[in-house]
Amino acid sequence: MSEQLKFIVEHLNKDPFKKNFNLITFDSLEPMQLLQILNDVLAEIDPKQTIDIREEMPDQTAKRMFTLLGMLKYKPPGNMSEPSSFRQGLVTGSKPVIHPILHWLLQRVTELKKRAYLARFLVKLEVPAEFLQDDVITDTYHQYEELVEGFKTYHKECEQLKSSGFSTAEIRKDIGAMEEEKDQLIKRVERLKKRVESVSNHQRMLELARQLRVEKEREESLAQQKQEQKNQLFQAEQRLQRSQQQLKDLRQAAADAKPESLMKRLEEEIKFNSYMVSDKLPKELESKRRMVQYLQKVVSEPAMGQAELGELEDKIRENNIEINLLIEKRMMRNDPIDDKLSLFRQQASIITRKKEAKAEELQEAREEQAALDRELNQKNSQARDQDGDEVIRGDEFKRFVGKLRSKGTVFKKKRQEITELRAEYGVLQRTEEILKQRHEVGQQQLQSMEAQKGISGYSDTQEELERVSAIKSELDEMKGRSLDDMSEMVKKLNSTIVEKKSALAPIIKELRPLRQQCQDLTQEYEEKKAQYDSCAAGLESNRSKLEQEVRALREEMAQEENRYHYINCMKEIIEMQMQRAAEEMKAYVSPDPQERRKTIREQYMKNIAEQESLGKKLREQQKTVRESHGPNMKQVKMWRDLEQLMECKRQCFLRAQSQASIGQVIQEGGEDRLVL
């Protein structure tokens, strides 16, 4: 309590109260003065509370303060939990009521100011239901609620701006820079105007420039519209492709499947969709609604402080402890009927979890398939835009890959041949250069000889005739060779086609019954799989039931085993005790005194007698010690005095020896004399 008073006095002496109290003066205040101080603190939090309580009725003062404290979420201490006692103490200005309120308010002045400010706009007015039937009042009330929601939004934005780190100095600096840029732009515009005024027909040119700017803006808007229309066209093409792909898939499925399989597939889809609509989606929708309601409730409430959060965490902790205690009690009760029901509940929960997991996996697979289809359509459209051809798929793609691999091997062989030919070409090129040099030398010699003989140009003409004849012969040979190659190639292709057809005919005949057999086996596999799943679910439930029974029997066996060992140990202990009792009885009734002495009773009696004699001796010693305690203490005191006296003599003797040059100490008749 003293710490509380110190805290209150310390804060009341500071700004903005400046009361200049100490502990004695504050504790000696009258109830009306305490209420006035409380009203001043509340006025600091909410300026509407600024009033002199002497001018107001006590009931009105208490009601006003009580309302404000409730709005600020003040909770009285534990000893003032009843509202009537708290209200009575607030009316009378009781110190046990006022002091905790002041302590709580002064701890949270800034936080409570914000809460009081928000409460002025967020605490809704209560309008009776009969008044809301009027249309004008209803419209006004709806406008009022919209304004409250708008205030919430603006307040959140304001808080975000305050917490975003923007300072007024930076904003002013940016505004100053923008104003400088504006002045510079105005000056540049004025300079350009002056330059333009000196040009002839400047008004016409300005009008044309304005029209040019308008047309550019229009061009940009048209380009944007064109882009939007392209996007819409692209989306429409994608939808068309998806629809075509779905139609193609449906046709393939209808062509390959039987009516029974189609019905089975449709039944599975109907079951899945009905499960999603009737069971899974309503649960998810209900959970989302509860979450939205909870979030709306949290948003509608005013901001909470650290103390209130701590109280909520304490309540949550207490509730968790109570839940754990109830679970432990329920487990300790261990009712057999509840055990049987828990088994069925466990099986039902296992099946429900598996069902939900499979439904989620199927939903994820469908979403993934839809995403892959969208990506595939996008890639197809991109490829079509680039090349203008349809993208191959399926078997065509496999055949294309096979052709590409065969062409790759051929390409590798041809590339190796090209490298060999290039090497050979280099050798031949060098040989050609050498032969050309020799031919030039021979040609020069021939020309000189022809000039000497007077037949210049004869060799050139001869070579030209030989070249023309060689070319003609080569052309004739190539024509004949190409016709022969073409006819031979056609024959080979026809023979190859016939051979492939004859080779594939028996394979196709064998493949047809195998396809039918594969469909039958697939259908049988699905049936067996469904039987296996149902059998596995039954066996799993039986196994869990048997495991629980085995666990219960093992626990019972362990308890019975512990009980058996405990009973055996108790039996052995009782037998030993009975044996000792029989031996004791036998020795006690025996006529032999030696045997009697060996009995436990005799031994205990002997020990008791010894202890009694020892206690008697100790009491006598205690008595003698008490009687001699006074004289002994006197004797001890005398010995201590004697010891001090001897110590004093020893010190004097030592001093005398140290002062031998001053005088001499003579001892006569038990006395010491100093002779100078």
Side-chain angles (χ1 to χ4, degrees), residues 159-199:
E159 292 294 328
Q160 290 176 359
L161 289 174
K162 286 181 180 179
S163 60
S164 61
F166 291 110
S167 62
T168 56
E170 292 178 357
I171 295 172
R172 288 174 181 172
K173 186 176 179 181
D174 294 338
I175 292 172
M178 292 170 69
E179 288 179 352
E180 290 179 0
E181 291 178 0
K182 180 181 176 182
D183 295 336
Q184 291 176 4
L185 289 173
I186 291 171
K187 291 178 181 179
R188 288 179 64 185
V189 169
E190 290 177 355
R191 285 198 299 270
L192 290 173
K193 282 183 178 180
K194 290 179 180 179
R195 290 180 184 178
V196 169
E197 287 176 357
S198 61
V199 180

Side-chain angles (χ1 to χ4, degrees), residues 260-293:
E260 292 82 2
S261 61
L262 288 174
M263 291 295 295
K264 187 176 180 180
R265 191 181 306 161
L266 289 173
E267 287 177 357
E268 290 178 355
E269 289 183 358
I270 290 168
K271 288 180 181 179
F272 173 74
N273 292 328
S274 61
Y275 165 72
M276 293 291 290
V277 171
S278 62
D279 193 4
K280 185 174 176 61
L281 292 177
K283 289 181 180 178
E284 292 181 355
L285 185 61
E286 187 63 27
S287 64
K288 297 292 184 184
R289 284 176 179 171
R290 286 198 298 268
M291 180 60 70
V292 170
Q293 290 177 359

Side-chain angles (χ1 to χ4, degrees), residues 505-519:
I507 296 173
I508 292 170
K509 290 180 181 179
E510 293 176 359
L511 185 61
R512 288 173 183 171
L514 288 175
R515 283 181 179 175
Q516 184 65 31
Q517 187 178 0
C518 177
Q519 292 178 358

Side-chain angles (χ1 to χ4, degrees), residues 244-268:
Q244 290 176 353
Q245 184 65 29
Q246 290 176 0
L247 180 61
K248 186 177 179 182
D249 295 338
L250 291 173
R251 286 177 178 174
Q252 290 179 357
D256 297 338
K258 294 181 178 180
E260 292 82 2
S261 61
L262 288 174
M263 291 295 295
K264 187 176 180 180
R265 191 181 306 161
L266 289 173
E267 287 177 357
E268 290 178 355

Side-chain angles (χ1 to χ4, degrees), residues 43-83:
E44 178 63 25
I45 294 171
D46 187 4
K48 289 184 178 181
Q49 306 297 323
T50 305
I51 193 172
D52 192 353
I53 62 173
R54 292 174 295 183
E55 300 175 356
E56 191 179 22
M57 296 297 293
D59 294 338
Q60 294 179 357
T61 304
K63 183 178 179 181
R64 179 172 53 80
M65 291 183 178
F66 197 74
T67 304
L68 182 58
L69 290 174
M71 187 177 63
L72 297 177
K73 294 186 178 181
Y74 171 72
K75 294 181 180 180
N79 54 1
M80 299 295 268
S81 58
E82 295 183 0

